[in-house]
Amino acid sequence: MLKPFPQNLLSPKVQPLYGETLAYTVQYKETAWEFLQRLTSTFGEWLFWDGQALVIGQPQSGQAITLTYGSHISSFNMSLSARPVKTQMMGWDYLNSQVYTSQPSGVEDKAGLNPLGKQVMQLGQSIYTAQPVLWNNQFLTNKKQQDDITNMKSAIQGSRMIMFNGKSGHPGVKIGGLVEVSGNNVFSEQTEGYGEYLVIAATHYVDAMGNYDNQFTAVPGTIKVPPVASSKEPNCETQSAIVTDNNDFNGLGRIRVKFHWMNGAEKTPWIRVTTPHAGGGKGMFFIPEVGEEVIIGFEGDSATKPYVIGAVYHGKANNSFGNAGNDVKALQSRSGNKVLLDDNAGSVFVEDKDGNSVLMDGAGNVTMKSNESITLSCGDSTLNMKKDGTITVNGKNIYTIAKEDIVSSATKNMAMVADIDFLASGKTTATVSSKATTVVGSNEMGLFSKKLEAVGSATTSINGGKIDMGAGGDVSVTGAIVKINS
C-alpha cells in the first residue's frame, strides 16, 4: 500500500496491534489514504502524521508536556457525549453454514475509559436502552472476525465520549503527544490537575509579528483506540469479469475471476455461482469455463462479497442457436455434447460429441443412432446391437408374440437350438419345407398322429438295423409289386 510513495518523506512507522490476517479485503473507489483510513477505523488502529512520520499503530507519546492555565494554555473546555455502545452485529458465514450473532463485551477496558468516561458510558446505557442490530456485509470465515469488529465499533464509540479542546502557546503540542493540564484554584490558590490528554488534532498559527499559538483537540490519555467515525464502505456495482479458475477444492461450485481493472496476476478469492437449484447432494451444476465472461454482483453492495450472476456471450464468443422465432432452447457443453429443444418442430434432440444421438421428431417418431453399438439392459435381460449388423437378445425367458404374423428369415442359415425340449406347433398346419429336410433324433424319434403318411413322389425309404411295424388292427402293404426279402 505504501510502497509507491516516497519512503524518505513518509518514514512510516507501522506497528498495528491487530495481529489477525484479514479476510478478502478490497480497495475500491478509494485513494490509498481513504483505504488506510477505512481499515484502521474498522480495526481500531491509530493513523496520523506526527510531523515527521506516518504512524500506523499506538502513539509513542513519551513524556507529557505540562500546560498550566494562564501560562501555557489560555483557554480550554471539555465536552461529554453519551453514545450507544451496545450495538449487536449479525453475519452469515457460508463456508461454515453459520449465522453469527456478536455482542460487545469489555468495552471499558478495550476503549481505555477513565473513571469519568465509565460514568458517561453508564449514563448512555440508561439513555440508549434499545439494542440496534447491524448486518455485517463483510466476508467471514469464523465468528472471531465478527466479534473483533463488534467490540472495536463499541470501543471506538466509547473513546469519543470525552473531548478536550484547548488554546495554547506551547509549541510542543503535537498529534500523538500527551499534555498534562493544570491550573490554580481561584478559591484556594493551590495548583490542581485537570488531567492528562492525548492530542488527536492540532492547528498551529504564526502571525506576521511572529506571535505563535495553537488550537488542539484531545482525548483522555488512557484512551486506547482512535476516536474516529466509522468509515463508509464503498458501494460496488454489478460488473463484468473473466473466469480464471473453476476447480473448487471445497466442492462448493465456486470460481475465481479477474476484473477488467485488475493488474497482472490479481484475481478474486473463490466466489459462489448462483444457480436455479442447489443443495446437499442435489442441484443444478453448471460452472462457467475458464476464459468465459461472467457478470458479478455483490451482496449488500460490498466489494468483499462478490458472487456470479451468470455468464454472457460477447463478440468473440457467440452462439448459433437463435432464430427469429426464438424456437430453440439449447444446452451444449465444451466438448460438443448437447440437448436441443425445438418449439417449432416440437422435437427433442440429444447428441454427444461423437455424433451418437436420440431424436424425438415431434411427429411421433423416435430415432436412435450409434456409431458403435446400442445396448438396452434391464436386470438379467439385454438387447445389444453392433455396427457390424450383429443383434443379440439375451434373457431368462424370451417371448415373441404377434396378433397376426411373425416372419423370420435369413439369407444364409437359421439355427434354432434348445438344450432340453424344442416345440414347434400350429393349431391348423405346421409345415417344414426345403429342398432337403432332415429330422434327426440321436436316441429316439417319434412321429404321432391320428393319420400318418410318409410319401415320396419318387422313392420312400425306411431303413434301420431293426424295424418293428405293428398295429392294433389290420396291416396293409399295397403296391404294384410288393417284394419281401427279395
Side-chain angles (χ1 to χ4, degrees):
M1 177 66 62
L2 299 176
K3 286 182 179 179
F5 302 98
Q7 299 300 295
N8 61 325
L9 297 180
L10 286 180
S11 301
K13 297 178 181 178
V14 182
Q15 295 178 326
L17 291 180
Y18 189 76
E20 300 291 331
T21 300
L22 300 185
Y24 181 49
T25 305
V26 180
Q27 177 186 353
Y28 188 71
K29 292 183 177 179
E30 301 165 295
T31 64
W33 179 252
E34 289 170 337
F35 183 48
L36 278 175
Q37 280 184 311
R38 179 162 64 86
L39 285 183
T40 53
S41 66
T42 299
F43 296 98
E45 301 290 347
W46 297 81
L47 171 67
F48 61 94
W49 171 259
D50 67 359
Q52 296 178 323
L54 178 66
V55 178
I56 301 177
Q58 286 295 110
Q60 302 299 316
S61 304
Q63 185 69 33
I65 64 171
T66 300
L67 299 179
T68 303
Y69 179 67
S71 177
H72 306 103
I73 183 169
S74 57
S75 64
F76 67 87
N77 64 74
M78 182 186 299
S79 63
L80 307 179
S81 175
R83 294 177 177 273
V85 295
K86 291 295 184 180
T87 301
Q88 179 178 275
M89 182 174 284
M90 298 180 67
W92 167 246
D93 175 4
Y94 77 83
L95 289 174
N96 295 299
S97 301
Q98 293 285 331
V99 173
Y100 298 141
T101 300
S102 300
Q103 305 273 3
S105 62
V107 175
E108 297 93 336
D109 292 336
K110 288 181 175 64
L113 299 182
N114 61 15
L116 180 58
K118 292 178 181 180
Q119 290 182 24
V120 176
M121 178 177 170
Q122 291 174 0
L123 178 61
Q125 289 177 347
S126 66
I127 296 173
Y128 300 102
T129 55
Q131 186 177 33
V133 178
L134 299 179
W135 182 257
N136 182 13
N137 277 318
Q138 298 302 304
F139 177 69
L140 295 173
T141 59
N142 58 68
K143 186 173 184 293
K144 184 178 182 302
Q145 294 169 339
Q146 181 170 282
D147 289 341
D148 290 344
I149 293 175
T150 303
N151 285 325
M152 194 51 62
K153 281 184 174 293
S154 294
I156 289 175
Q157 283 284 72
S159 70
R160 301 171 64 193
M161 287 194 265
I162 299 177
M163 288 291 175
F164 184 94
N165 295 284
K167 185 175 181 181
S168 157
H170 197 303
V173 174
K174 65 175 183 178
I175 297 176
L178 289 173
V179 295
E180 186 173 357
V181 182
S182 62
N184 293 326
N185 188 299
V186 295
F187 299 104
S188 65
E189 296 185 353
Q190 293 181 351
T191 301
E192 59 183 6
Y194 302 133
E196 188 176 76
Y197 299 91
L198 176 66
V199 178
I200 61 171
T203 305
H204 302 271
Y205 301 95
V206 178
D207 64 18
M209 302 299 295
N211 299 312
Y212 168 82
D213 64 6
N214 60 62
Q215 292 181 349
F216 66 91
T217 301
V219 294
T222 57
I223 291 296
K224 299 177 181 178
V225 295
V228 294
S230 297
S231 296
K232 187 178 180 181
E233 295 283 339
N235 288 338
C236 206
E237 68 283 349
T238 302
Q239 55 190 279
S240 167
I242 302 298
V243 180
T244 61
D245 306 83
N246 60 6
N247 184 22
D248 182 5
F249 54 87
N250 277 343
L252 298 177
R254 300 173 300 175
I255 65 174
R256 302 181 77 178
V257 302
K258 181 175 183 176
F259 292 109
H260 300 295
W261 45 264
M262 284 181 165
N263 298 317
E266 287 183 324
K267 55 186 174 182
T268 66
W270 292 99
I271 64 177
R272 293 193 288 174
V273 179
T274 57
T275 178
H277 179 41
K282 56 186 177 292
M284 184 179 294
F285 187 77
F286 288 98
I287 302 302
E289 299 289 351
V290 172
E292 287 184 359
E293 182 185 4
V294 291
I295 301 300
I296 307 298
F298 299 86
E299 290 186 53
D301 295 332
S302 172
T304 65
K305 298 188 76 174
Y307 64 93
V308 181
I309 298 174
V312 292
Y313 295 104
H314 55 82
K316 293 183 179 180
N318 53 18
N319 75 85
S320 59
F321 301 121
N323 64 11
N326 190 31
D327 297 317
V328 178
K329 308 298 181 287
L331 171 64
Q332 181 166 329
S333 69
R334 181 183 66 242
S335 66
N337 298 323
K338 60 187 173 185
V339 178
L340 301 179
L341 309 178
D342 189 334
D343 288 327
N344 184 36
S347 64
V348 178
F349 181 66
V350 181
E351 184 180 55
D352 71 7
K353 64 182 182 62
D354 295 322
N356 302 303
S357 64
V358 176
L359 172 63
M360 291 167 276
D361 66 2
N365 304 305
V366 178
T367 302
M368 184 179 296
K369 175 186 173 185
S370 171
N371 296 328
E372 295 294 330
S373 67
I374 295 175
T375 300
L376 302 179
S377 177
C378 178
D380 294 332
S381 303
T382 59
L383 168 62
N384 178 262
M385 296 180 289
K386 295 183 179 179
K387 69 177 182 179
D388 62 5
T390 301
I391 299 175
T392 303
V393 180
N394 193 341
K396 181 179 180 180
N397 298 301
I398 298 175
Y399 300 92
T400 303
I401 300 172
K403 291 183 177 180
E404 294 188 1
D405 300 329
I406 294 177
V407 178
S408 299
S409 65
T411 57
K412 289 186 178 181
N413 303 313
M414 180 182 291
M416 302 180 74
V417 180
D419 291 341
I420 299 178
D421 296 327
F422 179 83
L423 172 64
S425 67
K427 290 183 178 180
T428 303
T429 303
T431 303
V432 179
S433 175
S434 69
K435 290 182 178 180
T437 303
T438 301
V439 180
V440 179
S442 59
N443 292 326
E444 296 180 359
M445 183 176 70
L447 300 174
F448 305 97
S449 177
K450 289 182 178 181
K451 182 179 180 181
L452 178 64
E453 293 183 4
V455 179
S457 59
T459 302
T460 300
S461 299
I462 300 176
N463 299 305
K466 181 181 178 180
I467 298 175
D468 294 323
M469 300 180 65
D474 296 334
V475 176
S476 298
V477 179
T478 305
I481 298 174
V482 178
K483 296 180 180 181
I484 300 175
N485 293 331
S486 61

